[in-house]
Amino acid sequence: MQLEQFNYDNKIVRNFGLATIIWGIVGMSVGLLVALQLVWPDMNFGIQYTTFGRVRPVHTNAVIFAFVGNAIFMGVYYSLQRVLKARMFSDILSKLHFWGWQLIIIASAITLPMGFTSSHEYAEMEWPIDVAITLIWVVFGINMFGTIIKRRERHMYVAVWFYIATFVTVAVLHIVNSIQLPVTFWKSYYVYSGVQDALVQWWYGHNAVAFFLTTPFLGMMYYFLPKMANRPVYSYKLSILHFWSLIFIYIWAGPHHLLYTSLPSWVQSLGVVFSIMLIAPSWGGMINGLLTLRGAWDKVRTEPTLKFMVVALTAYGMATFEGPMLSLKQVNAIAHFTDWIVAHVHVGALGWNGFMTFAILYWLVPRIYKTELYSKKLANAHFWIGTLGILFYAIPMYWAAVVQGLMWKEFTPEGVLKYPNFLATTLEILPMHMMRAVGGALYLSGALLMTFNLVKTMAKGKLMANEPAEAPALEPVTKNERETHRRLERKPMLFMVLALLAILIGGIVEMVPTFTIQSNIPTIASVKPYTALELQGRDLYIKEGCVNCHTQTVRPFRSETSRYGEYSKSGEYVYDRPFLWGSKRTGPDLHRVGGKYPNKWHFDHLLDPTITSPGSIMPTYPWLIDQKLDNSIIKEKMNAMRVLGVPYSHKDIENAHADIAKQAEAIAKDLAANQVKVGSDREIIAIIAYLQRLGTDIKAEPAAAAASNVDSQN
């Protein structure tokens, strides 16, 4: 049989590898800064661009899309060529993909601190960047499927299945979650509102974790782990069951992020059921990986790459057990909005994604540079420092979560909240947050040690940019092949369509009724659109990233209605674009804050939170007093909202500037009467107007009635 000669493209692998290392250090450093700000708020240095609210999405997106994203492309470009026995389809597309992705990362790193944000978690970038992501993702898809089509290996190895599922699902998630109506180049509003927007966001948010942070890493696990251990994958049949059950079930689980909210209860229940079912396929993948190491445990003791892999798979198993547990309503009632969510996410990010990325880098770099790793001792040191970093990070966060959950819900024998002041809980967990920062510093130190080790490795070797390879031409189809899945592996386009159908079913079943059946979101006649000034204040609230610390949804628990007021109704959010329910309470819920405090309280709180709340870790916002409110596009904003169904009349829009001036002047006069002199044209006036509106559209139940609304967990 004649062999065909060709070359593997290692240069693109090297480029994505370098980007992984660089952006990893950047993302982890910003994460450490964020952790320090939750203990010492002055760590924002008094600059509006470095507050927690603005920097936190920089950290999350840098880790997810810059560090992990580049690691995915590094692993895919290396493994795809070798399992398909073909060079990537197009060198030009490879370069366009690489540089396009880096420009997207840089654009995000610039615009997010400036406050250009859509506020959707893990998708905060504004619409021009969303468009760029779509285009570059298509470039990646063409390059990947072009390579699959020109392959020299008839059957697609299991890793390729996960890469295909990743491509099609991320494309669907990103497009559906990014449907916005642009107002200007850096401002848009989502077409969805309130409850519907929440469902779309967490359908995306949960499955971004599933299909960006999980499925491509499972594909890489199936390639790199057998290579590192020099052992075959434990079970081909288990990999089939693992793959199809995982991609079908995962897509349904998003609503478990919205338990006890005003999302329709039937959708919440579906999310819970499928979340529990997820344990089986998730652990199937972990077991398949760990059992691949059978007979190779002596090698695990000596090879740092395998040490990283074992901990990565263990972290994956823990995170995928913890997720379903957090979806149980009894657990969710206590754990949600606490630091448990932070710990859960970071076990996956630091352990699963981070450690597998480190393992692949340590294994791959010496091979493409045709040399030995500079120092196994340094790699082993990195392993132990990184492992300690994970423990010092996660354990204090679990501890803090238990403290938070119990303190928030504790009542005295007389039936009143024992800790009515939210700040009491914040101050109680500060030592745990300090330990979390230590863990982050350790983890970052390990990454820096790895960087030194790999740079020295590259220096003593030489990149083989075009690695010679040979393989026979694509073999003919075997007519008598018995296994159905083997036949399917010969047809990549059919495989892609079936994977697409598997992931579409759950989203369609959950979203179509929520969007089309009116009874799912009952109308409340008293709920009115925001005034022009309140809309401006809401956009400033989003710009400052306040949603990263404050939720806006009161759950139907005795503890929450006693602390915050009447529980939230779905009809209250019909004009909220985007929804602002949040996912973590670093500060108290704000959905019923309107009218609770005078205007001067809000002014003082934004100027210096310690004036109203001694010991607060909230940053100061003096620039809101100094900066004039930009009303230049308010009419365009209201027109966009009108297109999306908000009942602004033409008169409302034409009189927007006059209405803003009138409402702002009233707030400024009230402040002046309380010895606070501030111009009515300042940003702080708009934010105060918005905060004073929150939760005032419906009448709260009498205190006795609210207190009687007790859930079984209290």
Side-chain angles (χ1 to χ4, degrees), residues 188 353 592:
S188 63
N353 297 122
R592 300 293 177 213

Side-chain angles (χ1 to χ4, degrees), residues 404-468:
Q404 287 172 307
L406 296 179
M407 285 183 72
W408 290 348
K409 288 182 172 291
E410 190 170 357
F411 283 79
T412 67
E414 292 75 27
V416 297
L417 283 170
K418 186 172 181 179
Y419 304 101
N421 187 352
F422 188 94
L423 187 58
T425 310
T426 304
L427 297 175
E428 188 71 23
I429 63 174
L430 281 181
M432 284 78 101
H433 279 197
M434 293 177 189
M435 291 178 68
R436 182 261 294 268
V438 171
L442 284 170
Y443 196 87
L444 174 59
S445 300
L448 290 170
L449 194 64
M450 176 196 71
T451 302
F452 172 78
N453 202 355
L454 293 180
V455 167
K456 297 292 282 186
T457 302
M458 294 175 192
K460 76 170 190 172
K462 185 178 180 182
L463 176 69
M464 183 169 284
N466 296 288
E467 183 179 336

